[in-house]
Amino acid sequence: MTTDTGALDGAAVGPHDDEPHGERFANRLNWLRAGVLGANDGIVSTAGLVMGVAGATDDRPTILIAGLAGLVAGALSMGAGEYVSVSTQRDSEQALLDKERRELLEEPEEELAELAAIYVGKGLSKRLALEVAQELTAHDAFGAHAEAELGLDPDELTNPWQAAWASMLAFTFGALLPLLTIAFAPQSARVGVTVGAVVLALALTGWASARLGFGPAGRAVLRNVGGGLFAMVATYAVGSLIGTRIG
Ligand SMILES: [Zn+2]
């Protein structure tokens, strides 16, 4: 039987491997959310594109080539955008970490006081805060400062390539849905089947992003499906108009 004091002794206190660690859990949620948003982008932009072309022509190869070009362009644009934004963020994080490392070398006393002050700010007594700061400094000064001051784990900065690949894949995955649907549906039902599939998929991604953000799902689904429907109707109308003018 474990008593309260027993639980505080040595080995009994440790990271709970079976529980999601706060930051890592948040990190995974961020990735999931980015994946759902990327897929959503792929669905909406490709659906809009193929519907626009389908409004102008019945020619299956033309619709497919346009959709495929849109998929590749969209995926590359998402990947490049993600690479640039994560690289920039990583550069600034790296600069902050370098500064912290320098300060620890040059003025360790001030840094210790600074760390202790952070824990005083979080509610510890001065004496305990200093003790905590001293023990953390003895264990891993750099890691402790990175976490307490900057909220960063130096070993887990986001990798720009990883982020770029993830968003490219998510976009491609989403884009394939309207592309394959419009490619394989019989010509007479092409538009209806694609709209139906896209509405279902957008309801799913809207619901998933609401769940991941802990927001109300109903409104998110309506907004997401509404946005996608609007995109399809608008491009189909433009396609039909231009298609009859030049066709
Ligand atoms: Zn510091």
Side-chain angles (χ1 to χ4, degrees):
M1 191 186 148
T2 321
T3 62
D4 279 350
T5 44
L8 286 172
D9 274 329
V13 181
H16 294 187
D17 289 333
D18 54 334
E19 285 175 8
H21 178 278
E23 257 164 64
R24 238 175 249 166
F25 184 61
N27 212 355
R28 205 173 307 158
L29 266 186
N30 279 337
W31 278 101
L32 270 175
R33 212 173 291 149
V36 171
L37 290 179
N40 204 74
D41 256 9
I43 296 169
V44 174
S45 71
T46 309
L49 185 55
V50 294
M51 292 294 279
V53 182
T57 175
D58 284 336
D59 187 44
R60 191 198 299 265
T62 305
I63 300 173
L64 273 186
I65 290 166
L68 200 60
L71 182 156
V72 174
L76 288 175
S77 151
M78 291 279 288
E82 195 64 16
Y83 180 83
V84 169
S85 101
V86 173
S87 294
T88 308
Q89 184 194 336
R90 197 185 164 103
D91 286 348
S92 70
E93 288 172 351
Q94 209 80 61
L96 287 170
L97 289 171
D98 287 345
K99 179 165 171 280
E100 198 58 46
R101 200 181 277 120
R102 223 171 27 243
E103 286 173 353
L104 278 169
L105 275 178
E106 288 166 2
E107 41 197 36
E109 297 292 308
E110 284 90 332
E111 285 297 306
L112 181 65
E114 187 186 38
L115 191 57
I118 288 174
Y119 293 112
V120 171
K122 286 189 175 179
L124 298 189
S125 70
K126 275 189 184 166
R127 188 187 51 76
L128 184 56
L130 187 62
E131 207 173 311
V132 168
Q134 278 164 340
E135 286 201 19
L136 287 174
T137 302
H139 174 65
D140 173 12
F142 180 57
H145 280 259
E147 202 227 316
E149 275 179 56
L150 309 170
L152 293 174
D153 181 343
D155 299 325
E156 297 218 351
L157 299 186
T158 311
N159 181 326
W161 281 109
Q162 211 179 337
W165 279 110
S167 62
M168 276 177 72
L169 277 179
F171 184 94
T172 302
F173 188 71
L176 280 174
L177 176 99
L179 189 60
L180 293 177
T181 311
I182 209 157
F184 290 110
Q187 187 186 321
S188 56
R190 199 177 267 163
V191 169
V193 170
T194 305
V195 169
V198 166
V199 163
L200 280 180
L202 290 180
L204 188 70
T205 52
W207 175 82
S209 65
R211 299 314 300 168
L212 292 169
F214 304 105
R219 250 175 296 161
V221 166
L222 282 181
R223 254 184 247 132
N224 208 35
V225 169
L229 273 176
F230 178 72
M232 289 188 290
V233 169
T235 56
Y236 188 80
V238 170
S240 310
L241 208 69
I242 295 175
T244 45
R245 288 273 166 83
I246 61 177

